[in-house]
Structures are given as C-alpha cells and as structure tokens.
C-alpha cells in the first residue's frame, strides 16, 4: 500500500463511533418499533419480521461482491455511500404506509448495511491497523455498548415523537456517521498489495477447506442465535411477566457484560490465541441457551443467560474478525469474510421469521430457547473443527 492512512487511535475511534451509530440506528431499534407499528398499521408480527428477513437476505447476498470490491478498491467510497443510503432509507421507513414498500425498503437497507457495517469495517482495520487484533478488541469496547445506549434512547424517542419521529431522529444520526466515515478514510491508501495477495489463493479453493467450512458453520449458527434474539429478546422477556423496567434492564445489560469480557481479553493480550478464545466462547453459547430454557420463571437463571450469552457474543464478535485472519490468513480478507457472511445468509435471514412462526404455532416462546441451545452446540462443533485445521496458504 502507498501512504499511511489514519493512525490506529484515529481508526479505533472512527470505526467504533460509526459502527455504534450504524448498529444502533439500523438493528437495535427494530424490536421496540414492532409494537407501535402493529398498533398503528395493523400489520402482523410475522409480516414485520419477514421484512427484516428480506433485509438480512439482501445483506448476505451482497457480502461477497462488497468484499471483493474492498480488496480491490478500498473502503472509503463504498462505506460512505452505504451509510448515506442507510440514513435515507430510515427516513423512507418513517413515511411508510404500504407493506410492499416496507419490504422493499428493508431489501435496500440490507444492501446498505453490507456496504457500511461490520464486515467492511473490519476489513479496513485488518488492512490499515498496525496491530489489527488489539484495534478490533478496542473497537468492540465501544460497540459493545450499542444496546445500552440505543435501547433507552430509542424508547425515549418513541415516547416523545412516536415511532415515525424516532426513525427520523435516527436517520439524522446516521447521516453524521456517514460524514465521519468519509472524513476518517480520506487519504487511506489503495489496497494494491491486498489485491495481489487475495489473488494468490482462489476464493473457491478456500471455501472447500475444512477450516473455512468449520468457521462457516460456527458463524452461521451464532448469527441465527444473535439475529433471532435481537428481534425477539424483548418480547420473549415480556412474556415472562416481569415489569417493563426489568425487561429493558436485562436487555441493556448485554452491552456492559460484553465490554467486561472484552476487557479481560484485552488485558490477556498475546497470552491467548483467537483459537482458544473461540473454543471458550462457542462452548458458552449452549450453556447460556440452556439457562434461558430451564428457568422461565427464574430471574437468577435469566441473569445467568444474559451474562453467559453476552460474554460469548462479545468474544465471538472479535473471533469472527481477528480469528478468521488467524485461522485462514489475511490474504483476500474482504472476500473471505464476505463469503463467510454469504454462507450465513440463510440462518441469518430465517431466524427472526422462524422464531416468530414458532411463537405463533406454540402460543408463546416456550420452545425457542431449546432450539437455540441445539444451534449453539452446532456453533461449538464448527469452531472446534476449524481450530484444529491449518489455514490455506499460498504458494
């Protein structure tokens, strides 16, 4: 690469801020918006979650071409355009009255998210940071607070402005993130070296490797759990009859628990590998889901679930970025992570809808935690397979 680009400190703060706003405006508010949209528009919960499903599908389909573009051309233009498009689409969502238009908005939102959220952001860090693993961990300290910040903020905006006004306020925040993205990546070097390296081992060959397949299974299963709970955790907890303040506190506690786990990882430094961290995190996933399943009336077991899931989720966010580079190498990183996202597109897209259908068919969320426990076990099995395999190398 030519030129230096932003310093690690500037990269950490810039990426962390834009990702916190991006996830906080595009994903976190959805479960809080379901009830007021149902009340005003008369749409079913299944329809609303189907729109989210279409957006996740579009995001997964767009991941590979986005990754290839990043490897060849860099991130500034695509990430900036994606962030602006996301803001405009939030504004369009605030004006929606027709279900077909709502679904179309979410398809376009999915494409915008693929261009400006986690995968391209981590490709930037891997390409530009002097110490990518340390930078990624530092970034997640801040992004781990996304729910803690945006759940109460969105709730307050809805109470003060209605769901349409809340979306317009979130769109304004996302415009700020777009401006910061453009300014942060100004002068970033073009990825000539990354382009040449990425061509050394064809993507199709990497996708046939056992390590890739194991990571794909791990991240796909984790995505099913994460996306499904993001859409349904609040109504699931509400169904258990606890006060609204308790429900929101339990949901918001996810962020601080993530940050605590990442702080321990940051302190451990080079004494641990991403392989060992991934094994621990994936084994914790089914433990968390079993706590949720076995204690529907137990606040203590629910708190255990919140803590265990947050720790696993927080660590796996780092493993997905830094662990992929450790296990599969840094060559063609954008295309590889795009392919991993594409493989996960089906579980990501069906998770909210499947859980909504289970809820509808069972008359409640009772079976859902048991399903998620089985999915968590599959995630652990996939990572154990990948961790035992050597990466594909060029030459």
């Amino acid at each position: 690469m030519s030129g230096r680009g932003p310093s690690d400190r500037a990269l950490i703060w810039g990426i962390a801020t834009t990702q916190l706003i991006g996830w906080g405006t595009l994903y976190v508010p959805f479960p809080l918006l379901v009830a007021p949209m149902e009340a005003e528009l008369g749409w079913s919960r299944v329809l609303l979650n189907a729109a989210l499903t279409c957006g996740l599908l579009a995001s997964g389909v767009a991941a590979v071409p986005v990754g290839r573009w990043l490897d060849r051309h860099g991130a500034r233009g695509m990430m900036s355009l994606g962030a602006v498009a996301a803001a405009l689409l939030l504004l369009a969502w605030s004006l929606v009255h027709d279900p077909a238009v709502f679904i179309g908005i979410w398809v376009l939102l999915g494409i915008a998210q693929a261009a400006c959220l986690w995968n391209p952001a981590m490709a930037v860090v891997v390409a530009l940071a002097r110490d990518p693993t340390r930078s990624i961990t530092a970034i997640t300290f801040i992004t781990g607070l996304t729910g803690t910040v945006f759940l109460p903020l969105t709730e307050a905006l809805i109470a003060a402005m209605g769901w349409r006004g809340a979306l317009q306020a979130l769109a304004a925040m996302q415009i700020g993130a777009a401006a910061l993205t453009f300014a942060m990546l100004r002068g970033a070097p073009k990825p000539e070296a990354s382009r040449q390296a990425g061509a050394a081992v064809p993507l199709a060959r990497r996708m046939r490797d056992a390590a890739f397949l194991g990571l794909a299974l791990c991240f796909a299963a984790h995505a099913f759990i994460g996306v499904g709970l993001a859409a349904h955790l609040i109504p699931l907890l509400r169904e258990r009859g606890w006060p609204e303040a308790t429900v929101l506190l339990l949901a918001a506690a996810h962020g601080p628990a993530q940050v605590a786990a990442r702080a321990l990882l940051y302190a451990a430094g080079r004494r641990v590998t991403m392989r060992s961290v991934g094994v621990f995190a994936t084994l914790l996933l089914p433990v968390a889901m079993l706590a949720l399943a076995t204690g529907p009336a137990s606040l203590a077991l629910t708190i255990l679930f919140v803590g265990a899931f947050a720790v696993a989720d927080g660590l796996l966010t780092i493993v997905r970025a830094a662990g992929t580079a450790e296990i599969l190498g840094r060559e063609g990183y954008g295309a590889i992570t795009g392919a991993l996202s594409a493989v996960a597109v089906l579980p990501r897209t069906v998770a909210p809808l499947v859980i909504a259908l289970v809820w509808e068919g069972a008359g409640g969320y009772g079976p859902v935690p048991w399903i998620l426990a089985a999915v968590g076990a599959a995630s652990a099995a996939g990572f154990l397979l990948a961790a035992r395999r050597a990466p594909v190398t060029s030459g």
Side-chain angles (χ1 to χ4, degrees):
M1 292 185 184
S2 60
R4 289 182 55 82
S7 67
D8 277 17
R9 178 174 294 183
L11 199 62
I12 288 168
W13 281 105
I15 292 291
T17 302
T18 58
Q19 293 301 294
L20 183 142
I21 295 172
W23 288 98
T25 58
L26 301 176
Y27 274 119
V28 171
F30 186 86
L32 296 176
L33 293 164
V34 167
M37 289 185 71
E38 282 179 330
E40 178 183 329
L41 300 171
W43 299 348
S44 71
R45 186 172 303 183
V46 171
L47 170 64
L48 292 169
N49 281 280
L52 175 62
T53 297
C54 289
L56 295 170
L57 175 62
S59 178
V61 170
V64 172
V66 165
R68 289 186 181 277
W69 176 274
L70 292 172
D71 285 336
R72 288 165 170 78
H73 305 291
R76 185 189 186 197
M78 176 168 288
M79 287 189 68
S80 301
L81 181 61
V84 170
L88 295 176
L89 288 163
L90 285 173
L91 180 61
W93 180 1
S94 76
L95 304 174
V96 75
H97 290 278
D98 182 82
V101 173
F102 179 60
I103 291 172
I105 288 170
W106 262 101
V107 169
L108 295 176
L109 267 174
I111 297 171
Q113 290 161 3
C116 69
L117 289 187
W118 195 250
N119 277 357
M122 292 303 97
V124 168
V125 176
V126 168
L128 299 181
R130 283 68 173 171
D131 187 343
T133 299
R134 193 172 180 86
S135 296
I136 290 166
T137 305
I139 287 166
T140 61
F141 288 157
I142 300 171
T143 58
L145 296 172
T146 303
T148 307
V149 173
F150 275 89
L151 280 171
L153 175 60
T154 303
E155 186 86 355
L157 289 171
I158 293 171
M161 309 168 66
W163 68 270
R164 295 184 186 274
L167 280 168
Q168 290 163 11
L170 295 172
M173 297 177 202
Q174 181 59 24
I175 281 289
L180 178 57
T181 298
F182 187 81
M184 172 183 60
L185 297 178
R186 182 169 49 198
K190 293 183 179 180
E192 289 90 354
S194 176
R195 182 176 67 244
Q196 294 165 3
V201 180
L203 181 60
R205 178 183 162 192
R206 291 174 178 270
M207 292 178 67
R208 292 193 297 269
D209 184 74
F212 179 94
L213 295 174
L215 288 179
L217 173 60
C218 171
F219 298 151
H222 174 232
F224 182 95
I225 295 172
V227 173
L229 284 179
H232 289 276
L233 180 59
I234 289 176
L236 185 155
L237 294 175
R238 283 172 175 161
E239 186 178 89
R240 297 186 170 190
W242 290 316
E244 184 69 6
T246 301
V247 169
L248 291 177
L249 181 61
L250 287 168
H254 189 87
Q258 280 186 323
V259 171
R262 291 163 180 169
L264 291 175
L265 178 60
Y266 192 84
R270 298 182 182 275
R271 293 190 294 273
V272 296
T273 66
M274 286 294 102
R275 282 177 169 85
S276 61
V277 172
V279 168
F280 171 75
T282 54
L283 291 175
L284 201 56
L285 267 181
V287 172
M289 299 308 129
L290 287 172
L292 184 65
T294 56
S298 169
L299 186 58
L301 282 175
T302 304
I303 292 171
L304 174 62
F305 151 74
V306 169
F309 175 53
V311 169
D313 193 34
L315 294 178
L316 279 170
T317 301
I318 299 173
V319 170
R320 182 179 172 186
T324 297
E326 180 179 300
I327 293 172
L328 296 179
R330 294 174 63 174
E331 297 178 354
Y333 178 89
I336 291 170
T337 54
L340 286 169
S341 290
V343 172
V345 64
L346 182 59
R348 283 176 60 83
T349 54
V350 303
L353 183 58
V354 165
I355 293 176
L357 291 172
V358 171
W359 169 81
E360 190 173 73
Y365 283 106
V368 169
W370 296 102
I371 295 171
L372 297 181
V375 176
S379 179
F383 193 84
L384 287 169
L385 172 64
R388 293 174 180 174
R389 297 286 182 153
V392 177
T393 58
S394 57

